[in-house]
Amino acid sequence: MMNKIEILARRILGWKLNRWDRWYDYEKEVFIPISEFQPEDNLEHAILLVERLKELGFVYKTNGTTKACFDDVCETGETLAQAITNAAFSIADNRSIDEGWL
């Protein structure tokens, strides 16, 4: 079963698992250690999700502190980073997709 971070990395950012401890971003041709991608705790990482979803046509809105929306999908969190991560996860979490395909 994939966790929240793995779903976001694969389904929104398009990263592939290169080996057990790192992602590979084919667009930027860089490796990202799994332990270093923490969008719930790091606003810069959460903004990666915002930028990708904007590229995909979503309109991003926020109250600036605890709420983030992508079109009509809105979520809250203790921080803006958590709110962004929760909203992105709400979009990406499609349990009908067979994990074997990812």
Side-chain angles (χ1 to χ4, degrees):
M1 186 80 153
M2 286 193 291
N3 67 29
K4 180 189 275 188
I5 303 303
E6 188 173 3
I7 288 171
L8 294 170
R10 288 179 188 237
R11 295 183 183 168
I12 292 184
L13 298 175
W15 295 351
K16 304 293 182 206
L17 195 59
N18 176 261
R19 61 179 203 204
W20 67 272
D21 65 341
R22 68 182 184 195
W23 297 105
Y24 185 67
D25 181 342
Y26 284 92
E27 288 181 8
K28 296 179 183 168
E29 298 181 339
V30 296
F31 294 100
I32 300 100
I34 287 176
S35 63
E36 291 183 17
F37 179 61
Q38 300 297 323
E40 287 183 305
D41 301 322
N42 185 318
L43 186 57
E44 288 181 30
H45 296 175
I47 295 300
L48 293 173
L49 299 169
V50 171
E51 294 304 321
R52 176 58 62 126
L53 287 168
K54 286 165 95 176
E55 288 173 9
L56 296 172
F58 287 88
V59 174
Y60 170 68
K61 295 179 187 169
T62 180
N63 69 359
T65 56
T66 59
K67 184 176 181 181
C69 299
F70 296 101
D71 291 342
D72 61 347
V73 177
C74 296
E75 295 290 344
T76 60
E78 291 181 21
T79 65
L80 182 56
Q82 284 181 352
I84 291 168
T85 302
N86 291 339
F89 181 72
S90 291
I91 292 168
D93 187 31
N94 183 343
R95 296 184 194 281
S96 67
I97 297 173
D98 181 5
E99 291 180 20
W101 286 97
L102 300 174

